[in-house]
Amino acid sequence: GQNIDQPTEMTATEGAIVQINCTYQTSGFNGLFWYQQHAGEAPTFLSYNVLDGLEEKGRFSSFLSRSKGYSYLLLKELQMKDSASYLCAVMDSNYQLIWGAGTKLIIKP
Amino acid sequence: GAVVSQHPSWVICKSGTSVKIECRSLDFQATTMFWYRQFPKQSLMLMATSNEGSKATYEQGVEKDKFLINHASLTLSTLTVTSAHPEDSSFYICSAKTSGRATDTQYFGPGTRLTVL
């Protein structure tokens, strides 16, 4: 079966750095997406990785290793507004998005 | 950027009534739109994929006669929940792709929170 695993919840301190991991097992791979979802709102796109390596976009970076079925989202200089759920999603061979359950990130002052 | 709107944001209805939710791509043409449902503290569940001018493709377990989807134009898709019941109360979210490429990013609407009494 297809499976996306990510931690349920993480806590970090304002100004610090946090890494949210995602491992996946899917039938085929056409890219991995990270989305941010604030409580009660729809997800917003953060990043897309299809090749191995690190993609940096401001305070957020996303890393992919296809051979290991592994990705992480790195958030630097954490701000209180970063408190949200972070969803990992993999596009499989049928170009369907397989969603993880999300990681709830709690930022403490 | 790509903006997707949904209407209404909130709807409360009585059991047995039908509710229509609209999803619009405001600044691009969306050949494909997706409808998701999300229960509290759970991940997104894809309900159906909607292609302009053709019938929607429903995921396994989703009743096509209960959740009617119409994608009549390149900027509008509608989801009608027919004969809604309390168990249909959920957060319904649509998304759209900016082009026909399968790997394009999906942009999400703000969601519609449905409460069925």
Side-chain angles (χ1 to χ4, degrees), chain A residues 6-34:
Chain A
Q6 48 182 134
T8 303
E9 187 173 297
M10 298 182 70
T11 302
T13 304
E14 190 177 15
I17 299 173
V18 71
Q19 178 175 309
I20 303 174
N21 296 325
C22 171
T23 57
Y24 63 88
Q25 291 177 312
T26 57
S27 55
F29 180 83
N30 279 300
L32 185 144
F33 296 80
W34 283 97

Side-chain angles (χ1 to χ4, degrees), chain A residues 30 33 35 37 40-43 45 48 91 95-97 99-101, chain B residues 36 38 43-44 46 59 91 93 102-103 105-106 108-111 113:
Chain A
N30 279 300
F33 296 80
Y35 282 84
Q37 185 177 26
E41 298 180 11
F45 170 76
Y48 171 64
M91 186 166 281
Y95 298 99
Q96 295 273 28
L97 272 181
W99 292 87
Chain B
Y36 292 87
Q38 187 177 35
S43 188
L44 298 170
L46 180 65
E59 294 300 302
F91 192 44
I93 310 171
T103 54
T105 302
Q106 291 184 30
F108 287 83
R113 189 161 301 281

